Amino acid sequence: MVPYFGMKGKWLTFWVTTACAVVMALFGYGQGVFVGIIATPDFLDQFDLQDNPSLQGNTVSVYNLGCFFGALCVLVIGEPLGRKRTIVFGTIIMAVGALLQIAAFDIPQMIVGRVVAGVGNGINTATAPVWLTEMAKPSLRGKLIVSAMIANIFGFMLSNWVTFAFALLNDGSLAWRLPLAIQLIFVFAILCIVPWLPESPRWLISKDRIGEATGILADLSGVDRNNASIIAQSKTIQAIVRWERRHPFRWRGLIRGRVHPSGNSTLRRLVLGIGIQAMQQLTGINAAWYYLPILTQSLGLGSALTRLITACNSVNYLLFSFLAISYIEKWGRRKLLTYAALAQATLLTPLAILTSFSKPIAIIPLIFLLHAIFATAWHPIPWLYPAEVNALGMRSKGAALATATNWVVQFMVVEITPRGIEMGWRFWVVWTVANLGFAGVVWGFYEETTGRGLEEGLGGGWWAGGVKRRAGRDEDGVSGRRATGHREGGGQLSEGRERRVGFIDGVVWDESERDVDLSTKKVRQGEGMLRNEGVSGRDMAVVIEMGVVGGGSGKGIGHANRRRRSSEIGPLET
């Protein structure tokens, strides 16, 4: 049978993106559906929750704790299972959780179902962005992740309208069992699509399945596996894997800050990924979503109209999320996050003022605008950045820790919001100050990753162990294309010749007269290409040890590590 039904290139990338989009849509639907059904009369009667708001809140929030533990599970199962099988495993767990909820007749079973479904969702949300990031070209990576996160908002919006419609029907237990059952449609789609799609070539190379990985790289690009660019890309990833095996991380040393002197700032990368997910939940967006129905009810609007306004806000949320597709590669991660944080702070300021004057009718448009701004930057990018910034050996673990952080902080925000709203305008001042702080943190410490290959930045340069920098004051940190040292570098290679080496589309090449022109970023096809299909296996080892792959200014490259022999790493396969 022809692999992937004969699909290659753009169509294969499309289906990988579709699979991840369905995973994220299930995440959005599962997160939103329960908030809608928990207010239905039959649900409250069935589980005796009418006069127990505390138990209502706990039944909703235990899902976030399940997601937290599910994300942590990926630390253990992510690398052994691979990206695809981890998603399938998480989806099956979600199916079990959904069935437990659909068939529940008492509150303990419902809570168990919520926790189980949360574990599956935590596994999926920690894995799907990594899988898609590793399959996408650098120039498309941001747009594809944004597309998956648009699907996430679509799932959330769908849950709002489904629960609104069934609440109007008020048809006994069907009003809440059927909305829960719709989750199984997403589960069925995931289990039908994911198994026949390719595994991440980077994960395969880390497991020494070189031939299979090279074939997948070629299929994703729609070219022959003997293409010079594919061979060079495979060699680059192999070199990264070998480097990481020679400099393995240990959790104890990582926490204590004890890393190899030629390391690649593993701890810093982890902190950046964790930080951006925490900041997403601390922007105040969940508090605003919780506040909206309270405002509508304070205006004397009925339950049906309150649900309608909430559902309309979800449509507003979805529509504005499409703007990120146009700007995420043009403006880059840093600018979008910084400008959006400033815009959110600007909106939260009048929200606090109007709250102090008790003007709910004027606050509702501000909450709509707040969701519109959040959808363009702070919703998609925190799910993309941890997968981009962590090196191959730590990518699934780094994404898992970042995702777990997202869920536990979200749980905290959900728990404090009801009491926080009682503080009045002071509660919104807290979120205003937080957004202003986040703008400064992103601008000062977060490197731009737009357009860079996942293998760029290992060893030396920006991520060099022990190097202290602030992104906002460094050319490599703010560049939206390639960092200076990624464009070119120099040094004494293994044969004793001076050459220039650099990245072109995420692959390390060496420059010779006929093959590669680093100044124009073009690979010349023709005779001699077989001799220089990217940096050779022996040279690649030295290039990485010299820090050229990691970027930086290129000055003094190779002095500390030039004495290392390339034979210590060994040859690379094609």
Side-chain angles (χ1 to χ4, degrees), residues 358-407:
S358 300
K359 301 291 184 182
I361 193 65
I363 296 174
I364 292 173
L366 290 176
I367 292 179
F368 271 63
L369 286 173
L370 187 65
H371 280 85
I373 297 298
F374 182 84
T376 62
W378 280 95
H379 177 251
I381 296 176
W383 293 98
L384 165 65
Y385 198 86
E388 287 186 315
V389 78
N390 282 290
L392 178 58
M394 278 296 294
R395 190 165 294 136
S396 66
K397 297 179 178 66
L401 287 172
T403 304
T405 300
N406 180 290
W407 288 113

Side-chain angles (χ1 to χ4, degrees), residues 20-31 148 151-156 186:
C20 290
V22 178
V23 170
M24 301 312 282
L26 175 58
F27 157 31
Y29 186 89
Q31 190 176 29
N152 169 251
I153 298 178
F154 172 79
F156 183 73
F186 294 98

Side-chain angles (χ1 to χ4, degrees), residues 137-292:
K137 293 181 179 179
S139 59
L140 293 175
R141 192 168 60 232
K143 293 180 179 180
L144 297 183
I145 290 291
V146 167
S147 299
M149 296 314 297
I150 289 173
N152 169 251
I153 298 178
F154 172 79
F156 183 73
M157 181 204 71
L158 181 64
S159 71
N160 278 269
W161 285 101
V162 166
T163 54
F164 172 63
F166 278 95
L168 292 178
L169 294 175
N170 195 23
D171 190 16
S173 66
L174 289 180
W176 59 271
R177 294 190 193 273
L178 279 180
L180 288 173
I182 290 175
Q183 295 177 92
L184 297 177
I185 297 175
F186 294 98
V187 168
F188 178 76
I190 294 168
L191 296 180
C192 286
I193 298 173
V194 171
W196 62 267
L197 290 172
E199 180 56 271
S200 163
R202 289 167 171 83
W203 180 82
L204 290 170
I205 288 176
S206 73
K207 301 301 179 184
D208 297 320
R209 294 159 64 175
I210 309 300
E212 186 179 350
T214 303
I216 291 172
L217 288 171
D219 289 338
L220 288 169
S221 298
V223 298
D224 186 80
R225 64 179 296 148
N226 294 318
N227 180 279
S229 179
I230 297 302
I231 294 175
Q233 189 176 359
S234 177
K235 286 182 175 181
T236 302
I237 301 170
Q238 290 176 58
I240 300 299
V241 171
R242 291 177 182 269
W243 190 95
E244 291 185 342
R245 286 175 180 173
R246 290 190 59 210
H247 306 104
F249 80 94
R250 292 176 176 83
W251 287 109
R252 183 187 304 176
L254 195 67
I255 294 171
R256 294 179 179 179
R258 296 177 181 176
V259 294
H260 193 279
S262 62
N264 58 347
S265 294
T266 301
L267 180 59
R268 184 178 180 185
R269 293 171 183 249
L270 279 175
V271 170
L272 289 176
I274 289 170
I276 200 168
Q277 284 279 32
M279 287 189 290
Q280 183 201 53
Q281 292 302 316
L282 294 173
T283 56
I285 195 67
N286 281 319
W289 184 269
Y290 186 93
Y291 193 36
L292 181 59

Side-chain angles (χ1 to χ4, degrees), residues 227-229 509 514-516 522-529:
N227 180 279
S229 179
W509 297 85
R514 290 183 293 181
D515 302 328
V516 181
K522 292 181 179 179
V523 180
R524 304 191 189 100
Q525 302 288 339
E527 292 185 10
M529 180 56 71

